[in-house]
Amino acid sequence: MASRTMKLKQSTTGKSKQATTGKASQVGKAKGKKAPSRASGGLLGRLLLVAFLGLVVFASYEYASLPDAAPLLKQNPKTTALIEQRAEEAREEGHKPRRRQSWVGLSSVSKHAIDAVLLSEDASFYLHEGVDTKELENALEDAIRQGKLGRGASTITQQLAKNLWLSTDRSLLRKGKELILAHRLEESLPKNRILTIYLNVVEWGNGVYGIEAGAREHFGIPASQLSAAQGALLASMLPAPRKRSLTSGSKALKKRAHWIIDQMQAVRRLDAGQAQAAHAEIDRILSGKPAEEPEYEEPAADSPSPV
């Protein structure tokens, strides 16, 4: 009887072990099915980590390789990326590169011309630190809607950074570099120095760089003698200076110039009479008519005094 009881226990124990082993096997198989998912998840995580580290290294390299703005505090740049690009474009077309440029200080530029450029290109120039964040947000929203980057929201400091060191393409990488360099310019230079360099390197026509060369090229006078109307016309050329010439018949140029005069009056840089005269001068210049000379009158002959 005892022997029979022993056999029954061994049989029951064996079945229990088999059941337990079977369950363990099923659990193992279930775990085995999840294993590839965990492995693939780990691989994806490692790939993302590698990509992130690569991006950090690339960004660090790009940041370190960007030029220092500090030397510009006392030195005028001998050339710019834009000037070199235009020269290369001319050579590729079989032409000799043209360069007209004469450096002048802010004191040698008409106050009306400076006001026109500031109001047209960057009315908040003396208030921001290189980037107008509000305008930048608006420009990014427009870029998302249109699917491409536009020119909008570039401050004078950003434009200077691009002209000095970068290309004219509109890639996100170039824009990122532009923002970094604009920050460096603002850290290294006072506002008036940034504006001085900008006014002396910005493009004002085919091979024409700087406001002094622009004034002489388009009006035959030095920058110190520019009128409000002439300054507004030069400022209106800046979005596309080689296309928006005074003789191009550009409606956008004319509209922009009149708008600038209105802005100058609104911020009290011009009174009503000066603004009206400037509007008339813009129309006259764009029509190609010469300035009216004051009528010359023969001096009256001396006559005897009445008795």
Side-chain angles (χ1 to χ4, degrees), residues 35-281:
S37 176
R38 289 180 181 178
S40 61
L43 178 60
L44 178 60
R46 287 194 294 271
L47 288 174
L48 289 174
L49 178 61
V50 170
F52 175 74
L53 291 175
L55 182 61
V56 170
V57 171
F58 176 75
S60 300
Y61 171 79
E62 287 292 333
Y63 183 86
S65 65
L66 292 176
D68 182 15
L72 294 174
L73 182 60
K74 296 182 179 180
Q75 300 174 9
N76 295 332
K78 294 180 180 179
T79 188
T80 69
L82 179 63
I83 291 174
E84 294 305 312
Q85 179 181 328
R86 296 302 189 217
E88 182 61 28
E89 289 171 355
R91 284 189 288 267
E92 289 176 355
E93 295 173 1
H95 304 306
K96 182 180 179 181
R98 183 174 187 261
R99 180 173 175 178
R100 301 288 184 273
Q101 185 182 32
S102 298
W103 277 80
V104 292
L106 286 182
S107 61
S108 296
V109 181
S110 158
K111 186 68 170 64
H112 285 322
I114 294 174
D115 288 338
V117 171
L118 285 172
L119 288 169
S120 176
E121 295 299 293
D122 189 358
S124 303
F125 174 70
Y126 284 100
L127 302 177
H128 62 65
E129 297 181 356
V131 178
D132 190 327
T133 53
K134 183 177 180 181
E135 289 298 322
L136 183 60
E137 288 176 5
N138 293 336
L140 287 175
E141 289 177 1
D142 291 341
I144 292 171
R145 284 195 297 267
Q146 298 174 11
K148 63 179 180 179
L149 287 173
R151 177 181 178 274
S154 288
T155 63
I156 280 178
T157 311
Q158 288 175 252
Q159 292 180 50
L160 177 59
K162 182 182 70 174
N163 285 354
L164 286 173
W165 297 304
L166 304 173
S167 66
T168 55
D169 73 280
R170 294 182 178 179
S171 67
L172 287 173
L173 177 60
R174 196 273 293 164
K175 196 68 176 179
K177 291 180 180 180
E178 178 186 299
L179 295 175
I180 293 172
L181 289 170
H183 179 67
R184 289 187 181 182
L185 283 168
E186 293 280 345
E187 278 191 326
S188 303
L189 310 177
K191 285 287 188 177
N192 279 355
R193 179 58 178 162
I194 293 173
L195 182 59
T196 298
I197 299 174
Y198 173 81
L199 287 173
N200 280 282
V201 302
V202 72
E203 188 177 32
W204 253 302
N206 183 24
V208 181
Y209 304 96
I211 196 164
E212 179 71 12
R216 294 184 181 277
E217 177 84 5
H218 300 292
F219 302 111
I221 59 174
S224 60
Q225 296 179 15
L226 287 167
S227 67
Q230 292 167 332
L233 285 167
L234 285 179
S236 300
M237 293 173 64
L238 290 177
R242 297 197 297 174
K243 294 180 179 179
R244 287 190 181 183
S245 68
L246 301 184
T247 58
S248 65
S250 170
K251 292 181 180 179
L253 174 71
K254 182 176 182 178
K255 182 179 180 180
R256 184 72 175 177
H258 283 299
W259 177 86
I260 291 171
I261 296 299
D262 288 337
Q263 295 304 304
M264 293 175 73
Q265 181 181 0
V267 297
R268 299 182 181 179
R269 296 294 188 270
L270 298 174
D271 60 32
Q274 291 172 319
Q276 184 178 2
H279 282 302
E281 186 180 355

